């Protein structure tokens, strides 16, 4: 749900070489695709059909924008959890063939929900077509850790 809300607001901002109207239209197409439960491939097909992009560029746009929306949604969910008293952090999980920036993000380990990863990103993607993701990490309280150690 958070990803869909973020997509409605921000998707398309980073697509270069387009007029603002086209960028907003593509953003709306992607947000509608999320709302309808479409796959990235289906969204890419719609982008390609509607705007005449190559299959490769349409897929790049759909993948990158979906990752951005998912990352923003995940971080917003973690912020809400923290707001309600859960002790959470976030960590970067690399795809099978990560770049140096993504590896550095993963090596940073769990960081504060509002902190930025070494790449300067709040969440995925760190670059176009990035397949990495962020996930929440629940921190155990010191009392629970001591109880577990005592057992």
């Amino acid at each position: 749900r958070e990803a869909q809300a973020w997509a409605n607001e921000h998707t398309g901002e980073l697509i270069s070489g387009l007029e603002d109207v086209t960028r907003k239209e593509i953003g709306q197409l992607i947000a509608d695709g999320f709302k309808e439960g479409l796959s990235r491939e289906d969204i890419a097909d719609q982008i390609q059909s509607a705007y005449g992009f190559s299959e490769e560029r349409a897929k790049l746009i759909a993948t990158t924008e979906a990752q951005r929306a998912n990352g923003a949604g995940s971080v917003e969910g973690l912020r809400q959890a923290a707001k309600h008293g859960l002790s959470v952090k976030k960590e970067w999980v690399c795809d099978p063939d990560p770049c140096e920036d993504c590896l550095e993000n993963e090596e940073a380990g769990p960081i504060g929900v509002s902190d930025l990863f070494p790449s300067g990103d709040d969440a995925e993607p760190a670059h176009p077509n990035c397949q990495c993701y962020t996930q929440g990490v629940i921190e155990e309280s010191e009392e629970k850790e001591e109880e577990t150690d005592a057992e």
Side-chain angles (χ1 to χ4, degrees), residues 25-107:
E25 288 173 355
I26 291 172
Q28 188 61 53
L29 190 147
I30 293 169
D32 290 346
F34 280 153
K35 187 175 181 178
E36 296 168 19
L38 298 179
S39 69
R40 290 181 191 178
E41 291 78 19
D42 290 339
I43 293 171
D45 289 344
Q46 287 185 354
I47 292 169
Q48 184 180 4
S49 296
Y51 297 98
F53 291 129
S54 68
E55 181 179 350
E56 184 177 298
R57 180 142 193 233
K59 196 178 280 187
L60 175 68
I61 291 168
T63 297
T64 303
E65 295 299 329
Q67 287 294 95
R68 287 182 70 222
N70 285 333
S74 293
V75 170
E76 182 55 31
L78 292 172
R79 284 189 180 117
Q80 292 300 317
K83 196 179 204 179
H84 288 90
L86 191 59
S87 183
V88 295
K89 289 190 172 193
K90 63 184 177 186
E91 68 182 353
W92 194 274
V93 180
C94 285
D95 71 12
D97 187 27
C99 69
E100 286 183 31
D101 286 342
C102 290
L103 277 174
E104 189 175 351
N105 288 345
E106 186 176 67
E107 289 169 357

Side-chain angles (χ1 to χ4, degrees), residues 16-32:
S16 62
L18 301 177
E19 293 193 23
D20 286 340
V21 172
T22 304
R23 189 175 294 113
K24 287 180 183 179
E25 288 173 355
I26 291 172
Q28 188 61 53
L29 190 147
I30 293 169
D32 290 346

